[in-house]
Amino acid sequence: MVRVAFVAGTYQSQHCGVAHYTAHLRQVLSARGIESLILTTREAANQLTDPTVQGAVNCWHLSELLALAQAIIESKVDCLHIQHAAGTYGFDRAIFLLPLLLRLRGWRLPIVTTVHEYGWWEWRPAYLPSPLLEWLKTWGQRRGWWDREDGFLLTYSDAIITTNQQAEQIIYQRLPHLKSVTHRIPIAANVETALLDRSTARQMVQQAYGWFGEVAIIAFFSFLHPVKGLETLLPAFQQVVAAYPQARLLLIGGVESLALPGAQADRYWEQLKALVAELGLTEVVQMTGYSDQVSVYLRAADLGVLPFHAGITLKSGSLLAMMAHGLPIVATRSNPPDPDLTDKSLLKLVSPRDAVLINTARGSIVDPIALYRALSEGKIAAAAIDVTEPEPIPSDSPLLTLENLIITPHIASASRQTRTKMATMAIENLVAGLQGNRLPHCVNPEVYS
């Protein structure tokens, strides 16, 4: 029987997406008759009772590297698989030397490295002058001895797995000789889809939170963290509720993670609760915390929202989980955009016959070429847009030939109720300003802090 040893920076799946990925991979391998064990820190191993999770090191410092190499050699496995994301190793660089050390010690068995993150972080020791460090990185990388980001980790691996196209392309650019051993295997959804019909799921969620009647449930799913856009989402949702009182928001996910441990996580949780209360959203926003009922929540939702600061890519388990549950998703775009998530691809995700696209925000949100294709090919049933890119829409635009598209000339606010409210808000701001008071409808309230 084939045995594989995984080196993992941590193995707490409830706090780390890479650990969750590794645990799921082990389950799949086991179902195919492949045994595996985990070599990680003693602290991580001691939190589990699983004998196949072994503590090989106290930390990931250079002083622990020989002990890790010895544990690998003594494990008598057929293959070593290193799961690498810099943050899971506390940004310690010693792991970059592991493949080289093993080869020097006579290890001839296959080494596989999965690169979960690549192209954004480099080692910059303070004791080396920047020009010299840059020369060394470039000099060794050109010869294929090491790379500027991960040292010997990739150049001494027999196979490299990437989970996204961006990482793959950067490896090709830096280390073209490794193209033949680099394989892109996209991750899957990080949540198993519950065998539960939507109506039952909605009933369970509505009863749990006292949300009765016809409500629209919006779901956020990820670790709760300052970079996930929650401080933007909550004030925006306040405006949604003002216009649509039936709206409800579920913040699904725990707060403690490698990036936000212990007391920091507790403080952030309290900050979010305080913000919800300050915005008057206590009755319409619920924070689930870490939960094994994620699939039930997503099954009950009407819409998914992912306002991540860095945007979404296909390496996001949260995005893939929402897709697996058939949710329409509003999300921020990464810069540069994930090449596998073009506007055309996103439009294809919408149900083909009963979906309607409405855009009253900004014309640049929707690619007009992708919209034309989606409408003309029946991928979405119809669209109504009040804004275009460019604006006004060119007279020869193919969009004007479609019968299932309504275009209005940027007049979505031209209702008596809206214009009256706009005038009232302007007057209230003017009066407050003349009286030296805080503007009640300020678009940049941070100026008062």
Side-chain angles (χ1 to χ4, degrees):
M1 178 178 288
V2 175
R3 298 184 72 237
V4 178
F6 287 95
V7 174
T10 183
Y11 201 61
Q12 299 169 277
S13 59
Q14 71 273 29
H15 296 156
C16 173
V18 175
H20 187 279
Y21 167 94
T22 306
H24 187 71
L25 177 58
R26 293 186 68 205
Q27 292 175 4
V28 174
L29 291 175
S30 177
R32 286 161 174 76
I34 298 175
E35 291 184 354
S36 66
L37 62 90
I38 294 288
L39 298 175
T40 186
T41 63
R42 292 184 177 89
E43 179 183 4
N46 289 341
Q47 295 186 31
L48 303 170
T49 57
D50 185 349
T52 67
V53 179
Q54 301 176 12
V57 295
N58 291 317
C59 60
W60 298 107
H61 296 341
L62 184 62
S63 58
E64 299 283 320
L65 195 60
L66 285 173
L68 176 61
Q70 187 63 34
I72 293 168
I73 292 170
E74 292 176 357
S75 66
K76 305 299 182 183
V77 294
D78 303 291
C79 176
L80 174 66
H81 194 156
I82 302 170
Q83 295 288 331
H84 182 59
T88 64
Y89 294 90
F91 295 98
D92 273 310
R93 278 77 62 183
I95 194 69
F96 299 163
L97 300 173
L98 179 60
L100 175 63
L101 178 59
L102 286 170
R103 298 307 187 198
L104 292 175
R105 295 204 52 186
W107 176 278
R108 295 295 177 263
L109 296 172
I111 298 176
V112 179
T113 296
T114 292
V115 181
H116 292 272
E117 301 171 348
Y118 191 76
W120 67 277
W121 180 82
E122 293 188 23
W123 181 45
R124 295 185 177 92
Y127 54 81
L128 280 178
S130 295
L132 175 60
L133 179 62
E134 180 62 27
W135 181 84
L136 284 171
K137 288 179 177 180
T138 304
W139 183 75
Q141 185 170 282
R142 284 176 178 171
R143 287 159 177 77
W145 295 346
W146 57 72
D147 86 275
R148 63 186 305 112
E149 185 166 344
D150 286 350
F152 299 99
L153 193 60
L154 305 185
T155 54
Y156 277 74
S157 291
D158 297 286
I160 301 166
I161 297 173
T162 67
T163 60
N164 60 92
Q165 189 179 58
Q166 183 180 12
E168 180 185 60
Q169 291 303 316
I170 297 174
I171 291 173
Y172 289 172
Q173 292 167 11
R174 293 179 178 175
L175 303 164
H177 68 289
L178 296 181
K179 190 171 184 177
S180 62
V181 299
T182 301
H183 311 275
R184 177 156 54 107
I185 305 176
I187 67 171
N190 57 4
V191 173
E192 295 288 342
T193 304
L195 299 176
L196 189 70
D197 65 89
R198 184 169 180 271
S199 61
T200 302
R202 285 183 70 84
Q203 184 179 9
M204 291 172 62
V205 171
Q206 289 185 240
Q207 287 182 348
Y209 296 117
W211 291 344
F212 302 112
E214 293 295 325
V215 297
I217 301 175
I218 301 172
F220 168 95
F221 170 48
S222 183
F223 285 114
L224 308 187
H225 189 278
V227 302
K228 298 302 177 71
L230 295 167
E231 286 80 0
T232 301
L233 174 61
L234 288 168
F237 183 68
Q238 182 189 42
Q239 297 181 44
V240 171
V241 172
Y244 192 80
Q246 298 92 339
R248 301 291 183 269
L249 177 62
L250 270 178
L251 301 182
I252 309 167
V255 68
E256 185 171 356
S257 63
L258 295 181
L260 206 66
Q264 294 180 46
D266 294 338
R267 284 195 298 271
Y268 188 61
W269 179 268
E270 293 304 320
Q271 289 173 19
L272 288 177
K273 287 174 62 178
L275 180 57
V276 169
E278 178 186 336
L279 295 170
L281 299 175
T282 305
E283 299 300 321
V284 295
V285 174
Q286 289 290 340
M287 297 161 56
T288 71
Y290 185 80
S291 172
D292 58 2
Q293 297 295 307
V294 172
S295 184
V296 175
Y297 294 135
L298 293 180
R299 183 73 78 192
D302 299 284
L303 176 72
V305 57
L306 298 172
F308 301 166
H309 290 180
I312 58 164
T313 68
L314 283 181
K315 68 178 183 179
S316 168
S318 300
L319 172 66
L320 297 173
M322 287 184 174
M323 289 180 173
H325 286 79
L327 281 178
I329 304 163
V330 177
T332 47
R333 183 183 300 180
S334 61
N335 185 25
D338 188 318
D340 290 325
L341 284 176
T342 62
D343 286 341
K344 180 179 177 182
S345 298
L346 286 171
L347 287 170
K348 282 185 176 180
L349 297 176
V350 178
S351 301
R353 283 173 288 277
D354 58 356
V356 177
L357 181 145
I358 299 174
N359 183 19
T360 61
R362 292 288 183 270
S364 57
I365 292 176
V366 177
D367 181 345
I369 297 175
L371 177 60
Y372 175 79
R373 290 174 177 166
L375 289 168
S376 59
E377 295 172 8
K379 292 183 170 63
I380 59 177
I385 57 177
D386 185 57
V387 286
T388 60
E389 181 68 29
E391 191 173 291
I393 188 170
S395 59
D396 59 351
S397 170
L399 290 173
L400 297 175
T401 67
L402 298 171
E403 295 184 357
N404 55 345
L405 172 65
I406 297 173
I407 304 176
T408 52
H410 208 147
I411 57 170
S413 65
S415 70
R416 185 168 300 173
Q417 180 183 14
T418 301
R419 291 294 170 88
T420 299
K421 188 172 183 179
M422 289 167 62
T424 301
M425 292 169 67
I427 293 170
E428 290 174 347
N429 270 350
L430 179 61
V431 172
L434 291 174
Q435 293 176 344
N437 298 325
R438 177 172 178 152
L439 303 187
H441 311 292
C442 183
V443 297
N444 57 335
E446 65 273 9
V447 299
Y448 291 108
S449 59

